[in-house]
């Protein structure tokens, strides 16, 4: 991960999504195979044929260090697009993370990989290798369009995306949000209540009278 990617990974999914105006969320249930892992980097995408992982074999030849490998299908389903042999190739090529909008298998071993992996399902169901699919094509996951090279941020909350051209502006917005939250955290830790500070109690009392 480069310095910007490190910074956005450390900020985390919720902060990046909020700082981006609540845009970019991959609004699906993506689970990390190991808790507490973080990643950020440009998307390297394989759009597989339905139930098929031929495109995953192909995308390994395109994958570069620091990228987030994104594997998806037209209709995401619990079919294993990735297992330990394919993940070994991604790790050898220096992937910063892997996002599977389908299933993985060999998951006990995968959880121990250096490269962190997020998935919708864990299922042994095997994929075919019959359909070429698409590599380096835009895809939509959980309502968000991801183009090749767009930034993805992943943590225990799931994943969020940022257009490549917005990354620099977003970094400033993330820094502002983190500074603001740090100030609030100190006040709440000292016993102050957001219910009062945000004027919510006063509003509620006015509403009641
Ligand atoms: O071979 C497959 O399709 C997936 C798999 O189990 C692996 O990569 O180890
Ligand atoms: Mg396997």
């Amino acid at each position: 991960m480069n310095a910007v990617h490190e910074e956005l990974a450390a900020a985390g999914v919720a902060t990046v999504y909020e700082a981006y105006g609540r845009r970019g969320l991959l609004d699906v249930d993506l689970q990390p195979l190991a808790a507490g892992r973080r990643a950020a980097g440009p998307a390297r995408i394989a759009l597989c044929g339905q139930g098929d992982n031929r495109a995953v074999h192909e995308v390994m030849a395109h994958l570069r260090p620091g990228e987030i490998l994104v594997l998806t299908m037209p209709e995401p389903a619990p079919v294993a697009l990735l297992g330990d042999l394919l993940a070994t190739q991604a790790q050898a090529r220096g992937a910063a993370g892997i996002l599977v909008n389908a299933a993985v298998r060999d998951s006990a071993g995968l959880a121990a990989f250096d490269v962190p992996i997020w998935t919708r399902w864990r299922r042994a169901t095997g994929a075919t290798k019959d359909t070429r699919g698409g590599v380096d094509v835009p895809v939509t996951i959980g309502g968000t369009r991801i183009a090749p090279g767009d930034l993805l941020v992943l943590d225990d909350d799931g994943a969020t995306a940022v257009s490549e051209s917005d990354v620099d502006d977003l970094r400033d917005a993330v820094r502002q949000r983190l500074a603001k939250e740090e100030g609030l955290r100190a006040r709440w830790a000292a016993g102050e209540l957001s219910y009062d500070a945000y004027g919510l109690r006063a509003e509620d009392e006015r509403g009641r009278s």
Side-chain angles (χ1 to χ4, degrees):
M1 284 190 268
N2 70 25
V4 181
H5 300 160
E6 294 268 10
E7 188 173 338
L8 294 177
V13 168
T15 296
V16 169
Y17 157 72
E18 287 287 346
Y20 199 31
R22 295 195 169 175
R23 287 182 292 151
L25 193 68
L26 277 58
D27 196 6
V28 289
D29 187 18
L30 279 167
Q31 294 292 332
L33 287 183
R37 305 295 304 276
R38 294 173 177 277
R44 174 68 66 184
I45 299 170
L47 173 57
C48 293
Q50 191 62 27
D52 191 283
N53 70 356
R54 189 183 185 100
V56 182
H57 294 263
E58 183 181 347
V59 78
M60 296 302 171
H62 298 239
L63 185 62
R64 298 215 196 94
E67 293 180 337
I68 304 291
L69 181 60
V70 176
L71 311 178
T72 189
M73 291 194 300
E75 299 293 335
V79 173
L81 296 184
L82 184 93
D84 72 325
L85 292 175
L86 284 162
T88 295
Q89 296 175 52
Q91 179 156 290
R93 298 187 72 87
I98 305 175
L99 186 169
V100 184
N101 189 31
V104 301
R105 65 184 187 184
D106 313 319
S107 58
L110 290 189
F113 270 50
D114 289 340
V115 59
I117 300 168
W118 284 259
T119 188
R120 293 279 296 277
W121 296 280
R122 303 170 190 217
R123 197 69 59 87
T125 308
T128 54
K129 290 179 185 49
D130 298 335
T131 310
R132 183 89 192 264
V135 166
D136 295 335
V137 293
V139 291
T140 297
I141 299 179
T144 290
R145 183 181 186 274
I146 307 159
D150 283 352
L151 184 85
L152 285 167
V153 178
L154 301 107
D155 67 15
D156 286 354
D157 290 347
T160 200
V162 179
S163 295
E164 199 179 1
S165 56
D166 291 338
V167 170
D168 287 341
D169 288 347
L170 178 75
R171 178 157 74 155
D172 294 338
V174 162
R175 284 179 177 174
Q176 281 168 26
R177 186 173 176 89
L178 288 173
K180 184 178 135 202
E181 288 198 343
E182 206 172 299
L184 291 174
R185 194 172 296 107
R187 287 168 62 188
W188 307 159
E192 201 179 336
L193 293 174
S194 52
Y195 190 43
D196 294 313
Y198 295 163
L200 303 177
R201 187 197 299 270
E203 265 179 32
D204 287 349
E205 284 175 357
R206 272 200 304 280
R208 250 186 256 128
S209 58

